[in-house]
């Protein structure tokens, strides 16, 4: 086992994680988190690729997965899924192939036309697209494949993001952890320097809990704000106050099948939760 596997495996059952993912790979090179269903999709495949990459493991049948992701880039595919496919191709060593499909993004996400993909469906987070979600995924995908926006496009995107600024954080009515991280990441990736924020410290839970919340002064913690909160602290150059408590929170989310759920209550495993859980542990162990 490699060093990353050993490090992360000190805190969670990483062997069971790999079994959980590997058993859900299908012949077309795609993945489906419900193993009995041959309903492979971009979301599950993307998170399988991200998990293998995080753990420095070669993805099995990589060429088939490259083919799967490329075929998924279609006019009817939601922009978030297209962005995932582009980034997935880059991780798998095929950024040139991804760049061949960049134009399809602009049919759905075009800042010069004021088209920021809101309402086009395919939300990765909450079922209903949040305003900054598509921007985050498209900017992240473009960064991964070496594509860039021109000056006017960048300025339009910045203006769109800043419309959701609430003090030093970001949200629709109130600042949220997810939207604040997505805004800060996007601004930095576009070459801007956003204001320093204390939001991620305000949603960090220590004491009996561990984890992070979506908004300050709320309970319980969930996995997605914990993932974005951990990333947000790192992006902001801040340190977590209680990394061991965050790891403890994550450990409680692993289900018997090896995957992870999103909360301390009962819940099913999926690939999104599993990648994020592994990523949080990987982020926190450097502070122990």
């Amino acid at each position: 086992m490699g060093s990353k596997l050993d490090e992360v495996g000190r805190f969670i059952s990483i062997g069971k994680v790999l079994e959980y993912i590997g058993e859900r790979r299908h012949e077309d090179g795609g993945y489906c988190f419900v193993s009995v269903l041959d309903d492979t999709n971009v979301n599950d495949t993307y998170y399988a690729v991200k998990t293998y990459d995080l753990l420095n493991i070669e993805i099995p049948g990589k060429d088939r997965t490259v083919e799967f992701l490329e075929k998924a880039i279609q006019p009817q595919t939601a922009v978030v899924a297209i962005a995932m496919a582009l980034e997935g191709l880059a991780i798998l060593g095929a950024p040139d192939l991804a760049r061949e499909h960049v134009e399809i993004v602009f049919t759905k996400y075009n800042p010069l036309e004021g088209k920021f993909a809101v309402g086009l469906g395919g939300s990765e987070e909450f079922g209903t697209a949040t305003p900054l979600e598509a921007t985050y995924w498209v900017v992240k995908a473009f960064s991964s494949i070496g594509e860039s926006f021109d000056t006017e496009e960048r300025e339009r995107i910045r203006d769109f993001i800043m419309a959701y600024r609430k003090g030093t954080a970001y949200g629709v009515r109130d600042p949220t952890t997810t939207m604040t991280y997505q805004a800060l990441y996007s601004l930095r990736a576009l070459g801007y320097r956003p204001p320093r924020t204390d939001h991620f410290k305000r949603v960090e839970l220590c004491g009996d809990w561990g984890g992070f919340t979506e908004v300050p002064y709320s309970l319980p913690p969930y996995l997605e704000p914990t993932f974005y909160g951990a990333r947000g602290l790192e992006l902001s150059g801040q340190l977590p106050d209680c990394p061991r408590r965050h790891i403890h929170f994550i450990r409680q989310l692993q289900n018997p099948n090896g995957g992870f759920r999103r909360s301390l209550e009962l819940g099913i495993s999926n690939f999104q939760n599993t990648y994020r859980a592994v990523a949080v542990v990987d982020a926190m162990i450097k502070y122990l």
Side-chain angles (χ1 to χ4, degrees):
M1 297 177 78
S3 60
K4 182 64 71 72
L5 285 173
D6 291 338
E7 291 171 7
V8 176
R10 290 169 52 205
F11 302 100
I12 59 176
S13 298
I14 200 65
K16 296 197 71 174
V17 168
L18 295 175
E19 287 180 14
Y20 169 72
I21 295 173
E23 290 172 354
R24 288 158 176 77
R25 180 182 180 274
H26 291 263
E27 287 300 315
D28 62 359
Y31 290 76
C32 176
F33 85 91
V34 183
S35 59
V36 296
L37 297 181
D38 190 14
D39 188 20
T40 50
N41 59 84
V42 173
N43 185 287
D44 290 341
T45 304
Y46 169 82
Y47 280 112
V49 169
K50 291 283 285 185
T51 304
Y52 282 122
D53 183 60
L54 177 64
L55 296 171
N56 298 324
I57 296 175
E58 181 80 9
I59 188 168
K62 181 174 75 171
D63 291 344
R64 293 297 300 273
T65 302
V66 167
E67 292 176 9
F68 175 85
L69 289 174
E70 185 188 17
K71 288 179 181 177
I73 303 172
Q74 301 292 335
Q76 68 271 21
T77 305
V79 70
V80 169
I82 290 173
M84 286 181 167
L86 295 176
E87 184 185 344
L89 288 171
I91 293 170
L92 293 171
D96 292 342
L97 189 60
R99 283 192 288 271
E100 294 177 8
H101 300 280
V102 163
E103 286 305 313
I104 197 170
V105 173
F106 290 101
T107 66
K108 299 168 179 289
Y109 186 91
N110 193 320
L112 297 184
E113 297 178 0
K115 188 187 295 184
F116 293 94
V118 175
L120 290 177
S123 172
E124 203 270 336
E125 293 297 338
F126 304 110
T128 301
T130 59
L132 297 183
E133 187 176 351
T135 293
Y136 165 71
W137 284 101
V138 170
V139 169
K140 190 154 74 87
F142 274 34
S143 296
S144 71
I145 64 175
E147 283 288 323
S148 60
F149 295 96
D150 66 30
T151 300
E152 187 176 359
E153 289 169 337
R154 288 171 56 247
E155 290 176 353
R156 294 284 187 92
I157 295 172
R158 179 193 59 190
D159 292 346
F160 177 75
I161 293 171
M162 296 304 289
Y164 295 95
R165 182 178 173 184
K166 309 293 181 185
T168 61
Y170 298 79
V172 177
R173 292 196 180 115
D174 298 303
T176 69
T177 301
T178 297
M179 287 186 67
T180 298
Y181 176 76
Q182 290 177 343
L184 295 180
Y185 175 92
S186 300
L187 290 170
R188 286 185 179 275
L190 292 168
Y192 299 107
R193 181 176 295 179
R196 189 173 177 83
T197 181
D198 66 349
H199 176 86
F200 302 114
K201 301 303 294 184
R202 295 172 64 213
V203 296
E204 183 180 13
L205 298 177
C206 292
D208 294 333
W209 289 94
F212 293 70
T213 60
E214 196 64 59
V215 297
Y217 315 116
S218 65
L219 287 172
Y222 288 96
L223 180 52
E224 59 272 8
T226 299
F227 171 78
Y228 284 121
R231 289 289 174 92
L233 288 178
E234 188 173 24
L235 189 68
S236 304
Q238 299 171 297
L239 302 180
D241 288 335
C242 50
R244 290 189 183 276
R245 292 307 303 171
H246 301 323
I247 292 174
H248 177 71
F249 169 65
I250 295 297
R251 290 182 64 177
Q252 296 178 85
L253 304 182
Q254 190 165 25
N255 284 326
N257 66 2
F260 287 76
R261 61 185 180 273
R262 68 184 290 262
S263 75
L264 294 170
E265 304 299 325
L266 294 176
I268 63 171
S269 305
N270 66 34
F271 279 24
Q272 176 193 55
N273 291 340
T274 300
Y275 165 72
R276 289 179 172 176
V278 175
V280 171
V281 172
D282 179 59
M284 290 298 152
I285 56 180
K286 66 172 69 78
Y287 303 112
L288 300 181

